[in-house]
Amino acid sequence: MAWTKKDLLDLEYLTAEEITTILDTARSFYEVSTRTIKKVPALRGKTVVNLFYEASTRTRASFEIAEKRLSADVLNVNVSVSSVTKGETLLDTVKNLCAYKIDVIVIRHSVSGSPLYLARNIEASVINAGDGAHEHPTQALLDIYTLRERLGELKGRQIAIVGDIAHSRVARSNIWGLTKLGAKVTVVAPPTLVPRDIERMGVAVSHRLDEAIARADAVNMLRIQREREKQTLFPSLREYSKLFGLDEEKIKDLPEGMLVMHPGPINRGVEISGAVADGPHSVILEQVTNGLAVRMAVLFLVAGGTSLHPESLGT
Amino acid sequence: MKQTIATAAAISSRLIQLSDDVRAACPDPARLVLIGIQRRGVELAQRMAALIAAAHAAPVPLGSLDITVYRDDLSMVAQQPIVHSTNIPFSLDGMHVVLVDDVLHTGRTIRAALDALMDFGRPDIVRLLVLVDRGMRELPIQPDLTGWKLSTKAGQMVRVRVKELDGEDVVELLDGNAN
C-alpha cells in the first residue's frame, strides 16, 4: 500500500495497513545500517529540523542519525537558548524556520496536540516525537516492529504494558497500534496510575504483575518517573518496585521466548532490575537499533506525502 | 494488443546461453558475483547463479539490489515508491560483478544501481546483463550481455513475468492501453 500522508502525528488515526506500510518500509531501511557505507541518498536536498521543547537524548539522537543516513540536511534547534525564552510563540518559531523552505519538522513538545496544530498550519511535514501525555508514535512503531520481528504476526498475541499508564504517551501509542494489528493488550499498574475508562481503548486492566506476565508473549516496562512518588500516586518507589517492578524472581518460571521491552531510559532497580534488563529475555537494545530503521522509514514516507491527516481536515 | 516475445522454453534456453556467456567473460570464477535488481532481476540472477554454480561446481555469491532510494525522480513523484529489500552480505571490493535486470529502457535504473553498488565497495569490473533491451535510452548506458533486443515505441510496454512472482515465464510486448 502506498503512503499518502504528509505528517505522522499519532497512531490513533492510522489504519492497520498504514502501520504495516511503515513497518515493511523500515525493514528495507534496516539493511542500510549494516553496510560499510551507512548512507543512502533518499532525502538528498531535503532539510529536516529537529525542534525539541523537552529534554531528549535518545529520541533526538535516533532521529538525527536516521536523517543523516538518508542524506538529509539537519538542523537541531536548541530551544532552551532560542527565542522561545524571549517569548516567541510556537507557530512564529516554526513559520520562521519554514521561511527557509524546510521539508520536515520533528517536534517534541510538552503540550498535547502541538504537532497537529503545526501540521494544520504549515506546508512542511510534521513528525510527532512525543507530545505531552498524548502520543509518541515512533516509539510505539519501533516497539511493534521489534515484536513483529520476534513473534511474527501479532494477531492474538498477548502484550502487557506495565507502569504509569495514566501519564504515558508511549503506552497510549502502543495501545492504538497494537490493538489495530489485532494484539491483545493488558495494562498493568496500581489503580492510581490507570486512567478511568481505559477499557474503552480495547484493553484489559490488571493490578497484578505476576498474573499478567504469566500469559504474556511480551511485556513492555514503562519508566516510572520519580516525581510521581511526591504526588502520592503510590506509597513509595520501594513498594512500587516490589509489586510492579520486574526482577529475576518474577520471571524465573516464564518461557524462554517471553520478551522484555523498555522504551528507556531505564531506572535500574525501580521498574526493572539490572539482571532482567541485561538478561536473556531482554530486547531493549534491539528496540534501539530497530528504532533507527523505523524513523528512517517514517522520514522517507512523510517526505513524499501530500494528503492531510484526517483530524487536520476542517478547521 | 499483446505480442509474445519469448515463451518459457525460450527464456530458459536463453538464460543457459547467457550463463555460458557470463562464464566465458569472467576469467576468474572465484571473483564472480551476480547482483539482481529488484524485482524481477533478482529471480533471473538467482537462476543464472544456479546454472553457473552447477557448471563451476562451486557456489556463486548472489545479491539483490533495490534502487528506489537512489532514483533521480524521488523529489518529482507524487508519493514514495515501495522500498524493497537490498541484500548484499559480502564486500564487492575487487569482485567481477554482473548486474542483472529484466528490461533495459531509459538507463536510469542502471545509473541508480551503479551509484548504489559503489556504496558496497569497489568492484574491479561491473558488467550489465539484461534479458530484454528495448532501446529508447536517455542516458549513455549500454548492456554487455543481452537476451533479446527489441525496437519499441513510446507508449509500448515490455513485460517480463517470472514464475516465482507471477506464476509463469513469459516476455510480452504490450501497447499503451493494454493490461
Side-chain angles (χ1 to χ4, degrees):
Chain A
M1 199 199 117
W3 178 270
T4 57
K5 296 195 166 111
K6 86 169 176 75
D7 311 296
L8 177 73
L9 306 177
D10 52 47
L11 297 192
E12 181 176 0
Y13 292 92
L14 293 192
T15 62
E17 291 70 37
E18 286 170 322
I19 292 172
T20 307
T21 298
I22 296 175
L23 300 176
D24 290 344
T25 306
R27 216 158 188 224
S28 298
F29 277 115
Y30 186 95
E31 174 270 334
V32 173
S33 298
T34 66
R35 300 182 189 178
T36 325
I37 297 173
K38 302 176 190 63
K39 206 178 185 70
V40 292
L43 294 188
R44 202 163 61 94
K46 304 255 187 212
T47 305
V48 181
V49 177
N50 298 317
L51 185 59
F52 279 65
Y53 286 85
E54 272 185 359
S56 164
T57 308
R58 309 157 60 91
T59 304
R60 226 212 53 183
S62 178
F63 267 110
E64 188 172 345
I65 294 174
E67 290 147 8
K68 288 181 169 165
R69 292 207 175 153
L70 294 172
S71 306
D73 296 310
V74 181
L75 176 69
N76 292 305
V77 177
N78 187 350
V79 170
S80 61
V81 296
S82 80
S83 52
V84 177
T85 54
K86 299 176 189 165
E88 190 180 60
T89 67
L90 171 63
L91 191 56
D92 281 336
T93 301
V94 170
K95 284 199 161 163
N96 268 274
L97 292 166
C98 288
Y100 299 118
K101 310 287 179 214
I102 63 163
D103 300 284
V104 182
I105 287 197
V106 177
I107 181 167
R108 166 168 289 188
H109 201 288
S110 58
V111 177
S112 298
S114 31
L116 170 63
Y117 170 67
L118 286 188
R120 282 173 174 167
N121 286 290
I122 62 172
E123 254 179 62
S125 291
V126 177
I127 296 175
N128 181 2
D131 61 331
H134 175 228
E135 285 220 36
H136 190 351
T138 58
Q139 177 67 45
L141 287 166
L142 75 89
D143 292 341
I144 294 168
Y145 181 98
T146 305
L147 288 167
R148 220 169 65 133
E149 288 298 301
R150 285 294 195 127
L151 303 174
E153 179 77 30
L154 294 185
K155 204 171 172 58
R157 293 290 192 169
Q158 296 277 353
I159 314 296
I161 304 175
V162 185
D164 187 356
I165 309 299
H167 301 91
S168 173
R169 54 197 178 204
V170 175
R172 224 169 295 273
S173 287
N174 260 287
I175 292 169
W176 286 121
L178 286 167
T179 53
K180 276 170 204 270
L181 297 186
K184 303 257 177 271
V185 180
T186 304
V187 297
V188 187
T192 48
L193 294 180
V194 180
R196 223 181 287 266
D197 288 340
I198 185 114
E199 292 89 345
R200 281 202 215 155
M201 289 179 82
V203 302
V205 178
S206 167
H207 305 304
R208 290 283 303 270
L209 180 60
D210 50 351
E211 284 177 12
I213 58 175
R215 55 169 191 273
D217 293 299
V219 54
N220 199 346
M221 303 303 298
L222 303 178
R223 185 178 127 81
I224 280 293
Q225 288 174 299
R226 288 166 186 275
E227 311 87 86
R228 303 288 177 227
E229 193 178 10
K230 296 192 197 81
Q231 300 168 348
T232 65
L233 290 168
F234 44 83
S236 71
L237 275 177
R238 234 181 78 181
E239 188 190 298
Y240 178 87
S241 181
K242 197 164 162 244
L243 295 173
F244 294 96
L246 199 57
D247 56 25
E248 276 181 306
E249 182 59 28
K250 291 198 190 88
I251 64 164
K252 71 175 194 310
D253 297 326
L254 295 176
E256 240 174 65
M258 217 271 305
L259 307 177
V260 174
M261 306 171 74
H262 194 297
I266 300 174
N267 284 317
R268 285 177 185 258
V270 181
E271 69 271 1
I272 189 167
S273 73
V276 173
D278 304 327
H281 295 274
S282 169
V283 290
I284 296 172
L285 290 175
E286 266 172 54
Q287 288 174 268
V288 177
T289 307
N290 293 339
L292 181 58
V294 164
R295 292 187 172 111
M296 287 171 76
V298 168
L299 285 157
F300 175 74
L301 290 171
V302 298
T306 44
S307 78
L308 283 171
H309 200 267
E311 208 191 303
S312 64
L313 296 173
T315 49
Chain B
M1 227 193 64
K2 189 164 84 178
Q3 186 191 339
T4 301
I5 303 296
T7 60
I11 292 171
S12 156
S13 65
R14 197 59 60 97
L15 286 179
I16 292 172
Q17 198 185 319
L18 286 168
S19 305
D20 291 342
D21 295 346
V22 168
R23 289 174 54 214
C26 178
D28 185 359
R31 288 202 282 163
L32 178 63
V33 169
L34 261 59
I35 309 264
I37 298 178
Q38 291 277 18
R39 308 251 332 224
R40 283 161 186 72
V42 176
E43 271 68 32
L44 299 175
Q46 224 159 39
R47 290 191 211 172
M48 282 194 294
L51 290 168
I52 296 165
H56 284 160
V60 178
L62 175 69
S64 60
L65 184 64
D66 182 87
I67 57 97
T68 307
V69 295
Y70 291 84
R71 281 170 55 159
D72 56 10
D73 58 351
L74 272 184
S75 56
M76 296 154 75
V77 293
Q79 3 173 283
Q80 302 290 38
I82 293 166
V83 185
H84 295 291
S85 66
T86 292
N87 184 23
I88 304 180
F90 39 78
S91 167
L92 296 183
D93 289 340
M95 303 304 265
H96 292 190
V97 175
V98 178
L99 204 52
V100 180
D101 204 1
D102 54 353
V103 180
L104 178 60
H105 183 195
T106 60
R108 287 181 194 270
T109 297
I110 304 306
R111 195 286 307 160
L114 289 171
D115 265 11
L117 270 191
M118 299 310 152
D119 286 351
F120 288 88
R122 185 185 182 281
D124 267 9
I125 293 172
V126 180
R127 305 269 185 238
L128 175 61
L129 183 156
V130 296
L131 191 63
V132 182
D133 175 0
R134 63 165 292 184
M136 306 186 68
R137 218 79 75 232
E138 292 170 3
L139 296 175
I141 281 168
Q142 306 306 336
D144 299 291
L145 298 162
T146 310
W148 284 273
K149 193 167 166 51
L150 305 177
S151 55
T152 60
K153 296 193 290 276
Q156 287 182 315
M157 184 185 151
V158 175
R159 185 164 70 181
V160 173
R161 290 163 64 84
V162 295
K163 56 177 181 289
E164 293 89 334
L165 293 173
D166 313 303
E168 59 170 345
D169 279 352
V170 69
V171 179
E172 297 163 331
L173 178 63
L174 294 90
D175 277 337
N177 43 11
N179 284 313

